Amino acid sequence: MSEHTHKYETGDALDHASLHAQGIPHTHDDEHTHGHGHHHSTEHIRQVSNRLARAIGHLESVKKMVEEDRDCAEVLIQLAAVRSALTNTGKVILKDHMDHCIVDAVEHNDMRAIEDLNRAIEQFIK
């Protein structure tokens, strides 16, 4: 991370190391926080959003295939491709969550984040 200052909830500016040393939640210019001090780069958000947009477009194409009364086997194959795209998007999100959010949670002894991850994984792999 760069050595520039960051703003946090009160609007005060501190250097990056001081924010981390004091455990003060903050965001960086190229990051987004989702309320628990976990940060995602705008590049990661863009990549996931693009993957989801492609999956949505593919699913819309499958819907059109059904409306056109296309061969069931073709529809099933395309549905499998949509499911695979969504699963792969989930894997990208999970990897980023493990690499960043969970590492941060462990550093801050945030057991709730780990419990939340366990619940999310259970739902994801059903």
Side-chain angles (χ1 to χ4, degrees):
M1 291 274 119
S2 65
E3 291 302 317
H4 60 282
T5 60
H6 301 275
K7 298 220 180 229
Y8 62 104
E9 292 171 5
T10 67
D12 296 332
L14 290 175
D15 67 86
H16 187 248
S18 295
L19 291 172
H20 281 276
Q22 296 176 40
I24 298 171
H26 63 283
T27 59
H28 303 116
D29 295 338
D30 68 338
E31 293 180 336
H32 158 77
T33 181
H34 55 81
H36 303 289
H38 310 305
H39 305 282
H40 301 282
S41 71
T42 53
E43 176 65 16
H44 170 75
I45 293 168
R46 185 188 61 75
Q47 289 174 351
V48 170
S49 181
N50 286 345
R51 282 175 173 264
L52 290 171
R54 283 191 300 272
I56 290 166
H58 199 155
L59 186 57
E60 288 172 348
S61 295
V62 174
K63 180 178 181 263
K64 187 175 179 182
M65 289 175 70
V66 170
E67 290 168 349
E68 294 172 350
D69 198 26
R70 300 270 299 272
D71 180 67
C72 294
E74 290 179 34
V75 172
L76 289 171
I77 290 168
Q78 294 307 311
L79 278 174
V82 171
R83 185 176 57 216
S84 177
L86 291 174
T87 298
N88 287 333
T89 302
K91 288 177 184 177
V92 167
I93 292 169
L94 179 59
K95 182 182 181 331
D96 182 76
H97 190 62
M98 295 292 295
D99 290 348
H100 299 99
C101 303
I102 296 303
V103 168
D104 183 62
V106 169
E107 288 174 356
H108 293 92
N109 199 27
D110 182 359
M111 295 309 294
R112 180 168 180 221
I114 295 167
E115 292 165 4
D116 291 346
L117 172 63
N118 285 330
R119 280 191 295 278
I121 289 172
E122 284 295 320
Q123 291 296 311
F124 180 67
I125 61 175
K126 276 188 177 181

